């Protein structure tokens, strides 16, 4: 009989997983526990062993596709005879396709994505059908009968629908009840509470002014991608930063010819043979030195405590573009490091980030951030603060530029700096002094001796 | 009594063969509290499968003949086999979680086989091998990992307490139980009893373990504290737990501590027999540190590649607890290949039974959660049960 294997919850409470590679193809003969594929979840990359012995019928998921836990991913033709059709018991064993075509699955914990529909209560009108096409049917884990408790039923072919359907709207039980009483579909309500939680006011205002969905006329094709993972976190962090800290951005073009010459000289020395000495290391060093003179930039606004927190040490965040998105790992106690140590730390940090091995601890507790947009060839930008930090420095492309030296035009190596700071605790005076200090150090690295 | 001046750092260049002076990272992190096993490691069977003499513990392994060693080998292979099946069943959505014991088979089988029927064991949640030696059927372990049961065996009958999830908590229970054995005069006679408490290196950082040590020491409780040091407390290495080798901690509490090669089933058996004998004759407690390695993840929810290096794993593969017994059986004792094939067949049979049992496990009735709260019921719980069942019955399609 043809059996389907549903994506299991391989962690505790995971809702989705990405199929990375298939180790089998349609037509392959597989044994129990033979590795079928590798999947990646928010927690780990793991291999899935086959629960059945038989012949692979069809791979139901493409590599790279993210599917909801409980969606069938592969069908396997086993040697067993099909279960007798007269079987009355609707409770299919976990992982098997029930007689109604739904695949039973061990219920994990926590909310799952997809449209959750409760089974109707006796004597009540059923709720209107959800607007999403081919919704993933799920029985509510806490509200199932004995026969079905422990099972989540998924409609066949629901993989795509499960991935496309929005997350379960977040709201507290009294608010859910209010919404139900008022006939409001929570999925159509715009949340305003912290963490995207729908509040009582949201529901009430939704009733007063029902949101008219603006028809978006699609020109050509569109591609819709669910917002999740690092993208989601980045968005939340940027929005919270942009709308809490009043940003001011200042710009400075700097002649870094002397610094680049110093870099070339150092690179030739034995001490720097092992490390990759980048311009970023010089900028990082300059930031640490300048922050010593202007401690307001290495500080944070603590709204809850009504205090400004000044940091003794510099935890220098470096914005890094990785295959998985933007992350900001930190160089710990950057102000205590020598230029060589900084260069080594930066090299290690970017290598770790690119390999996707940056731990959450490495990203927490930053106090100032540098974003090196110059690597993309652009001159400058207006960076948005990493939430909680007082300053962020964007470093533009370093390139030959006409420059006035001693009253005459000369070709010099020039770099644009852009500093955004939180105006709640940094005034124009401090911000300007800090930026000018960084610029001065990069123009004449010898100045560092005098500080 | 020793003074602070007498104290010598636990780690020196001499005990760290093949390693240079500690680097900056080591200095920052503090000196490593562990090492390659060290000179004090009790080992009777080397990783190469050679039986080596040990004047102190040979007498405790004198009865380990071919037949007995074949039995231990069978234990090791069968336990590893159903452990791997448990891991696979989790990956197939049949278990909520599984806690693998891969690599720790010898530490558990050696300790478990040293116990007498009247002894009592208090496990953590990874002691599938000890459960096996206590006659707990592997299928009885499945309920807790499938979320249908808290434990499916009678702890009194098996002399094996239910799994304890809270780290180190069982040290208090074990110490209390052992104190009871002493108060009831079950120490010193021919039918003397002892208690074994199983925990890991991470648990040694818990207050409960410290309290258990203190009480057990002060009351001379007949309890063997059996610490399987598998080097990793989830993602924290042993050097983040301690500055001295763990077995040396016992000295501070006033009882003996010993480190045994946890991948050597004969040594684990001999040392645990000695430790139990100490306890039964009134010289308890004893701390045994079984020096081993967690070859798989902490649980199926964990990904160890994020925090430890593959070459460490490769190093420990060479110290495999099963392979050394196999080599010894073949090379030194002349056991024929048929024996190994037979054991493998038994293991696969067990795994198939384990799998089938798991897949067929029924979900418990919803009123189950109320049924064993009080021995004779209680009005409040009864009312909650009625309300809950009525709520269930209110759905369409409910039977």
């Amino acid at each position: 009989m043809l059996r389907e294997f549903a994506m299991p919850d391989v962690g505790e409470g995971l809702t989705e997983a990405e199929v990375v590679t298939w180790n089998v193809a349609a037509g392959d003969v597989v044994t129990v526990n033979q590795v079928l594929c590798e999947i990646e979840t928010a927690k780990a990359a793991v291999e899935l062993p086959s629960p059945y012995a038989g012949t692979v019928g069809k791979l139901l998921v493409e590599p790279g596709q993210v599917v909801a836990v409980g969606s069938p991913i592969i069908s396997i033709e086993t040697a067993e005879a099909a279960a007798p059709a007269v079987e009355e018991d609707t409770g299919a064993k976990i992982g098997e396709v029930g007689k109604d075509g739904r695949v039973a699955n061990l219920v994990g914990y926590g909310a799952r994505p997809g449209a959750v529909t409760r089974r109707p209560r006796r004597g009540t009108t059923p709720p209107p059908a959800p607007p999403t096409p081919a919704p993933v049917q799920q029985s509510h884990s806490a509200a199932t009968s004995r026969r079905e408790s422990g099972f989540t039923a998924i409609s066949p072919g629901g993989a795509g629908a499960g991935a496309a359907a929005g997350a379960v709207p977040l709201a507290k039980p009294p608010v859910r009840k209010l919404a139900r009483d008022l006939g409001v579909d929570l999925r159509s309500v715009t949340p305003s509470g912290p963490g995207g939680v729908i509040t009582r006011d949201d529901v009430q205002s939704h009733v007063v002014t029902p949101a008219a969905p603006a028809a978006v006329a699609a020109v050509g094709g569109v591609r819709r991608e669910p917002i999740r993972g690092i993208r989601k976190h980045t968005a939340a962090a940027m929005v919270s930063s942009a709308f809490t800290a009043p940003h001011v951005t200042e710009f400075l073009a700097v002649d870094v010819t002397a610094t680049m010459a110093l870099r070339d000289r150092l690179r030739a020395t034995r001490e720097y043979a092992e490390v990759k000495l980048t311009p970023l290391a010089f900028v990082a060093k300059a930031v640490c030195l300048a922050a010593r003179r202007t401690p307001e930039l290495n500080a944070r606004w603590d709204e809850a405590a009504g205090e400004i927190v000044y940091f003794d040490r510099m935890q220098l965040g470096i914005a890094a573009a990785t295959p998985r998105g933007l992350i900001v790992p930190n160089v710990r106690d950057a102000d205590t490091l020598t230029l060589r140590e900084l260069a080594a730390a930066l090299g290690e940090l970017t290598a770790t980030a690119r390999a996707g091995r940056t731990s959450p601890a490495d990203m927490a507790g930053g106090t100032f951030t540098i974003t090196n947009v110059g690597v993309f060839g652009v001159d400058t930008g207006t960076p948005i603060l990493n939430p909680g930090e007082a300053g962020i420095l964007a470093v533009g492309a370093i390139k030959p530029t006409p420059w006035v030296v001693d009253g005459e035009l000369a070709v010099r190596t020039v770099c644009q700096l852009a500093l955004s700071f939180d105006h709640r605790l940094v005034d124009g005076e401090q911000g300007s002094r800090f930026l000018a200090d960084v610029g001065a150090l990069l123009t004449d690295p010898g100045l560092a001796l005098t500080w | 009594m020793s003074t602070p001046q007498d104290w010598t750092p636990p780690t020196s260049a001499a005990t760290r063969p093949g390693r240079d002076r500690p680097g900056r990272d080591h200095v920052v992190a503090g000196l490593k509290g562990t090492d390659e096993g060290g000179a004090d490691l009790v080992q009777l069977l080397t990783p190469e499968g050679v039986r080596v003499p040990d004047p102190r513990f040979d007498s405790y392994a004198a009865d380990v003949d071919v037949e007995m060693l074949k039995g231990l080998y069978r234990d090791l292979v069968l336990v590893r086999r159903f452990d791997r099946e448990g891991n696979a069943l989790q990956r197939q959505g049949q278990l909520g979680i599984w806690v693998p014991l891969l690599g720790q088979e010898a530490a558990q089988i050696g300790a478990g086989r040293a116990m007498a029927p009247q002894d009592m064991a208090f496990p953590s949640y990874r002691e599938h091998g000890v459960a096996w030696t206590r006659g707990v059927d592997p299928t009885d372990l499945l309920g807790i990992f499938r979320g249908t049961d808290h434990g499916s065996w009678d702890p009194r009958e098996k002399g094996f307490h239910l799994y304890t999830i809270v780290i180190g908590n069982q040290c208090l229970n074990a110490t209390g139980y052992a104190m009871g054995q002493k108060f009831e005069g079950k120490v010193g006679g021919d039918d003397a009893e002892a208690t074994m408490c199983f925990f890991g290196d991470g648990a040694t950082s818990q207050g409960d373990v410290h309290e258990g040590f203190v009480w057990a020491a002060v009351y001379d409780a007949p309890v063997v504290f059996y610490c399987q040091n598998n080097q990793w407390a989830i993602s924290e290495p042993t050097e983040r737990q301690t500055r001295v080798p763990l077995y040396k901690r016992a000295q501070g509490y006033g009882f003996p501590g010993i480190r045994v090669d946890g991948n050597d089933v004969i040594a684990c058996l001999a040392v645990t027999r000695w430790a139990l004998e100490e306890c039964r004759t009134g010289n308890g407690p004893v701390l045994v540190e079984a020096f081993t390695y967690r070859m798989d993840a902490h649980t199926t929810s964990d990904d160890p590649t994020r925090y430890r290096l593959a070459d460490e794993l490769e190093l420990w593969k060479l110290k495999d607890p099963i392979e050394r017994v196999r080599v010894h059986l073949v090379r030194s004792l002349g056991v024929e290949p048929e024996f190994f094939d037979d054991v493998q067949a038994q293991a696969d049979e067990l795994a198939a039974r384990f799998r089938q049992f798991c897949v067929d496990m029924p979900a418990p009735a919803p009123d189950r959660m109320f049924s064993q709260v009080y021995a004779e019921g209680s009005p409040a719980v009864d009312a909650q049960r009625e309300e809950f069942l009525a709520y269930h019955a209110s759905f369409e399609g409910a039977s």
Side-chain angles (χ1 to χ4, degrees):
Chain A
M1 67 182 282
L2 191 66
R3 310 185 96 158
E4 285 183 336
F5 178 33
M7 177 66 81
D9 172 8
V10 297
E12 292 161 84
L14 296 174
T15 56
E16 61 184 20
E18 178 185 336
V19 174
V20 181
T21 50
W22 280 108
N23 297 19
V24 294
D28 285 2
V29 175
V30 294
T31 57
V32 171
N33 291 349
Q34 180 178 338
V35 174
L36 296 176
C37 61
E38 189 184 327
I39 62 166
E40 182 159 10
T41 70
K43 284 184 173 181
V46 298
E47 292 174 333
L48 291 187
S50 172
Y52 309 118
T55 309
V56 175
K58 202 174 168 192
L59 308 181
L60 304 172
V61 176
E62 294 291 318
Q65 195 176 334
V66 176
V67 295
V69 164
S71 309
I73 58 171
I74 187 173
S75 64
I76 297 173
E77 184 71 43
T78 64
E80 306 153 89
V86 291
E87 195 179 17
E88 271 306 303
D89 187 6
T90 57
K93 285 175 195 166
I94 290 169
E96 287 181 357
V97 185
K99 73 179 170 82
D100 51 358
R102 302 185 304 177
V103 177
N105 171 44
L106 186 68
V107 164
Y109 320 80
R112 294 172 188 279
V116 171
T117 52
R118 281 165 188 270
R119 289 191 301 129
R121 297 289 286 271
R122 282 178 174 147
T124 59
T125 44
T132 36
V136 175
Q137 297 285 334
Q138 284 193 320
S139 50
H140 196 277
S141 63
T144 47
S145 73
R146 174 181 173 179
R147 271 193 313 192
E148 286 192 13
S149 72
F151 299 109
T152 299
I154 308 289
S155 62
V168 179
L170 300 175
K172 289 170 183 169
V175 178
R176 288 183 185 278
K177 181 168 188 311
L178 175 71
R180 194 158 60 231
D181 293 348
L182 296 175
V184 172
D185 183 349
L186 279 174
R187 279 165 302 188
S188 62
V189 179
T190 313
S192 72
V197 171
I198 297 169
T199 64
R200 183 170 281 273
D201 288 347
D202 295 340
V203 174
Q204 272 157 351
S205 60
H206 185 85
V207 178
V208 177
T209 53
V216 179
V219 180
V222 292
R223 189 166 63 92
R224 285 180 163 269
E225 234 175 46
I227 298 161
R228 62 159 71 87
I230 290 183
R231 183 77 266 144
K232 199 168 172 178
H233 288 127
T234 304
M238 289 302 102
V239 168
S240 105
S241 173
F243 294 108
T244 31
H247 285 56
V248 177
T249 308
E250 297 187 334
F251 305 94
L252 180 66
V254 184
D255 173 3
V256 296
T257 312
T259 297
M260 298 310 281
L262 174 61
R263 179 178 83 130
D264 293 343
R265 285 200 302 281
L266 289 175
R267 265 185 167 178
T269 63
R270 189 189 303 174
E271 198 194 349
Y272 285 88
E274 303 280 313
V275 297
K276 191 180 173 202
L277 185 58
T278 60
L280 184 62
F282 288 92
V283 177
K285 186 71 192 169
V287 162
C288 292
L289 290 170
R292 210 178 288 169
R293 286 171 34 130
T294 316
E296 286 81 2
L297 267 296
N298 193 25
R300 73 174 295 158
W301 181 268
D302 189 343
E303 183 81 47
E307 291 169 342
I308 296 172
V309 186
Y310 292 93
F311 298 105
D312 291 343
R313 297 262 82 95
M314 169 69 81
Q315 314 300 336
L316 190 59
I318 304 294
T322 72
R324 299 174 72 167
L326 170 69
I327 64 168
V328 187
N330 297 312
V331 178
R332 293 277 164 232
D333 298 340
D335 57 319
T336 65
L337 303 182
T338 65
L339 182 66
R340 189 187 179 282
E341 287 166 341
L342 265 177
L346 289 170
E348 198 173 306
L349 187 126
T350 39
T352 308
R354 297 236 167 85
R357 286 190 288 109
T358 304
S359 69
D362 291 337
M363 290 186 274
T367 61
F368 187 93
T369 297
I370 297 178
T371 173
N372 191 6
V373 295
V375 294
F376 303 112
V378 303
D379 286 335
T380 189
T382 56
I384 293 182
L385 292 163
N386 209 6
E389 297 178 9
I392 179 168
L393 184 72
V395 185
I398 297 173
K399 57 189 183 188
T401 308
W403 194 258
V404 178
V405 183
D406 296 335
E408 287 188 18
L409 260 185
V411 177
R412 305 286 285 180
T413 309
V414 172
C415 169
Q416 302 250 16
L417 301 177
L419 174 77
S420 292
F421 54 85
D422 182 347
H423 209 332
R424 288 176 300 179
L425 67 160
V426 182
D427 290 335
E429 183 201 346
Q430 289 95 17
S432 307
R433 186 171 66 212
F434 177 85
L435 184 60
D437 280 352
V438 172
L441 284 165
L442 294 173
T443 306
D444 182 2
L447 268 183
L449 282 175
T450 67
W451 291 11
Chain B
M1 291 293 286
S2 65
T3 65
Q5 284 74 32
D6 296 336
W7 188 80
T8 50
T11 323
S12 66
T15 58
R16 297 158 58 91
R19 293 200 193 172
D20 294 325
R21 286 173 52 220
R24 180 172 175 273
D25 291 345
H26 279 117
V27 173
V28 171
L31 292 171
K32 286 196 80 169
T34 182
D35 49 43
E36 295 292 326
D40 297 336
L41 186 79
V42 177
Q43 188 180 69
L44 301 182
L45 189 64
T46 68
E48 295 76 32
V50 179
R51 177 76 166 81
V52 287
D54 185 300
R56 190 173 169 201
F57 289 104
D58 271 343
S59 61
Y60 291 94
D63 62 336
V64 181
D65 55 8
V66 185
E67 284 314 306
M68 187 162 176
L69 197 55
K70 277 160 88 173
L72 292 172
Y73 177 82
R74 181 177 174 274
D75 287 343
L76 295 170
V77 171
L78 265 58
V79 165
R80 176 174 291 185
R81 184 65 187 85
F82 84 72
D83 174 68
R84 293 297 83 199
E85 200 67 20
N87 225 56
L89 285 166
Q90 200 285 332
R91 295 292 182 236
Q92 290 157 359
Q94 298 291 340
L95 296 175
I97 190 172
W98 181 252
V99 185
L101 65 53
L102 191 69
Q104 298 177 223
E105 297 90 350
Q108 297 192 9
I109 295 297
R113 287 295 179 209
M115 293 178 72
Q118 71 270 23
D119 295 334
M120 184 70 185
F122 286 82
S124 71
Y125 42 71
R126 203 187 296 278
E127 268 63 76
H128 318 319
V130 183
W132 171 259
T133 64
R134 300 305 284 170
V136 175
D137 193 87
T139 55
D140 283 341
L141 304 174
L142 286 167
I144 193 168
F145 296 112
R146 191 162 160 120
T148 62
D149 208 341
H150 289 303
S152 316
W153 63 91
D154 180 350
R156 284 175 204 247
E157 179 206 332
K158 302 291 184 188
F160 187 72
H161 194 259
L162 298 182
Y163 275 2
T164 300
I165 307 297
V166 179
I167 304 295
N169 186 242
Q170 71 275 21
C171 267
L172 298 175
N173 305 332
T175 299
Y177 189 91
M179 286 166 64
Q181 287 172 321
K182 185 180 156 96
F183 294 153
E184 290 177 3
K186 290 175 176 168
V187 173
D190 291 338
D191 59 344
E193 293 182 10
T195 298
M196 287 210 53
C197 177
F198 292 89
F199 54 96
D201 44 295
T204 62
S205 299
Q206 292 287 343
D208 285 358
V209 172
H210 168 73
E211 289 173 31
F213 281 13
V214 170
W215 279 74
V218 170
Y219 282 87
D220 295 332
V223 53
V224 177
F225 293 111
Y226 194 86
C227 174
Q228 289 169 77
N229 177 0
N230 67 17
Q231 317 297 332
W232 290 93
I234 311 186
S235 58
E236 292 294 294
T238 322
E239 67 206 58
R240 301 289 296 272
Q241 310 286 343
T242 180
R243 288 290 174 271
V244 296
L246 288 172
Y247 71 101
K248 289 197 174 173
R249 282 202 178 165
Q251 199 185 358
Y253 294 93
F255 52 86
I258 188 163
R259 176 181 275 186
V260 60
D261 181 349
N263 286 11
D264 173 355
V265 70
I266 305 178
C268 288
L269 178 75
V271 167
T272 309
R273 279 174 168 177
W274 164 79
L276 285 167
E277 186 181 284
E278 287 288 295
C279 289
R280 293 199 188 101
T281 52
N283 289 334
V286 176
L287 171 65
V288 176
E289 178 191 357
F291 200 75
T292 180
Y293 192 76
R294 196 192 77 211
M295 297 298 284
D296 201 342
H298 172 73
T299 69
T300 46
S301 302
D302 174 38
D303 180 0
T305 61
R306 295 199 178 197
Y307 52 79
R308 70 183 190 189
L309 297 172
D311 61 352
E312 187 177 286
L313 192 68
E314 292 304 314
L315 196 74
W316 278 92
K317 274 185 187 167
L318 302 175
K319 301 178 182 174
D320 185 69
I322 297 183
E323 202 51 33
R324 67 176 79 183
V325 178
R326 182 189 178 91
V327 168
H328 185 65
L329 284 172
V330 172
R331 287 203 195 142
S332 307
L333 303 174
V335 173
E336 298 296 327
E338 290 76 31
F339 166 73
F340 300 102
D341 296 343
D342 181 46
V343 169
Q344 194 54 52
Q346 289 179 39
D348 290 340
E349 204 174 301
L350 172 65
R353 181 167 71 85
F354 190 71
R355 160 175 296 274
Q356 198 57 46
F357 185 91
C358 181
V359 173
D360 290 344
M361 271 173 101
D367 65 343
R368 174 77 186 276
M369 71 174 101
F370 302 97
S371 64
Q372 287 178 21
V373 181
Y374 289 99
E376 292 169 352
S378 110
V381 173
D382 291 346
Q384 284 173 21
R385 182 180 59 221
E386 294 316 314
E387 189 185 340
F388 187 68
L389 292 179
Y391 172 72
H392 264 259
S394 73
F395 287 95
E396 286 178 6
S399 54

